[in-house]
Amino acid sequence: MSDAPIEFFFDFNSPYGYIAAHKIGEITAAHDRSVDWKPFLLGAVFKVTGAQPLPLVPMKGEYARHDFARSARFHGVTYNPPESFPFSPTAASRAVYWAKRVGRAGEMTLALYNAALGAGQDIAAPEAVVSVAAAAGFDGDAVAAGIQNPTIKEELKAVTDDAIAREIFGSPFMIVDGEAFWGADRLDMVERWLETGGW
């Protein structure tokens, strides 16, 4: 069996990504696998696919808003999005790439997701991201510097470009040993794939 990390592509505006982020660690740990946290900018992908955020789509929007909350309740995750939604996820995404360098990408991801989609905080501004990170036990000054680090900025851009090249079009998007699974509703399949090696 492979021991390769599970690639977890997500956008901080994605309620389904938020739900899956709370579940993926437990699933992978049960199979001695790790998570490679990969925030990317879904807005850049939408420019290629012609899509737009679900809440803004005619007819689908109202259903989506209802389903976000229902799905969160189903999975036991608090859902309370900010008033300004969708928001710019750039600073939060860069913070995760900074946290990767200290081995705490999962912690940073959940801290920021919980603040934004669980507690309704606006995390668009770098200062807001730093505040959330500091409250979660990170070095605020180091996070602030990391968000502005040119190498980290380039990493977010490179991962977003890679996602487009690999036709990763939504959030969450999980890659298990080369097999792609899109959506929090595919977590059961991810778990079964890890158990069996595929079908």
Side-chain angles (χ1 to χ4, degrees):
M1 295 291 286
S2 171
D3 61 356
I6 308 309
E7 293 179 273
F8 186 82
F9 287 85
F10 66 96
D11 184 293
F12 275 108
N13 280 297
S14 169
Y16 297 127
Y18 166 60
I19 292 166
H22 276 271
K23 301 292 181 177
I24 193 65
E26 182 180 338
I27 291 170
T28 54
H31 299 281
D32 297 317
R33 304 287 282 271
S34 60
V35 180
D36 186 4
W37 302 90
K38 290 190 168 182
F40 72 117
L41 302 179
L42 199 52
V45 175
F46 285 171
K47 289 178 181 178
V48 176
T49 64
Q52 59 180 318
L54 273 174
L56 306 182
V57 178
M59 295 177 66
K60 287 184 180 180
E62 193 61 36
Y63 172 86
R65 284 186 286 272
H66 176 75
D67 191 59
F68 295 157
R70 177 177 62 187
S71 296
R73 291 195 304 272
F74 179 79
H75 287 283
V77 178
T78 299
Y79 179 65
N80 177 37
E83 287 186 19
S84 180
F85 181 70
F87 54 86
S88 171
T90 302
S93 300
R94 290 176 184 167
V96 174
Y97 286 110
W98 172 85
K100 267 191 172 187
R101 286 157 167 74
V102 295
R104 298 176 66 188
E107 291 175 62
M108 182 69 82
T109 297
L110 290 176
L112 291 167
Y113 250 147
N114 288 342
L117 299 189
Q121 295 181 37
D122 185 343
I123 64 164
E127 302 78 32
V129 170
V130 170
S131 177
V132 171
F138 291 91
D139 181 330
D141 290 340
V143 174
I147 289 172
Q148 301 303 329
N149 185 307
T151 302
I152 287 174
K153 290 181 179 182
E154 182 55 36
E155 186 171 3
L156 174 57
K157 181 180 183 303
V159 172
T160 300
D161 289 345
D162 180 56
I164 292 169
R166 294 169 66 184
E167 299 185 347
I168 292 170
F169 52 79
S171 170
F173 215 97
M174 297 155 282
I175 311 292
V176 183
D177 302 330
E179 189 75 12
F181 298 90
W182 171 43
D185 56 350
R186 292 295 182 264
L187 287 168
D188 288 346
M189 282 192 179
V190 168
E191 190 164 19
R192 182 70 61 82
W193 198 273
L194 289 168
E195 288 172 355
T196 65
W199 58 85

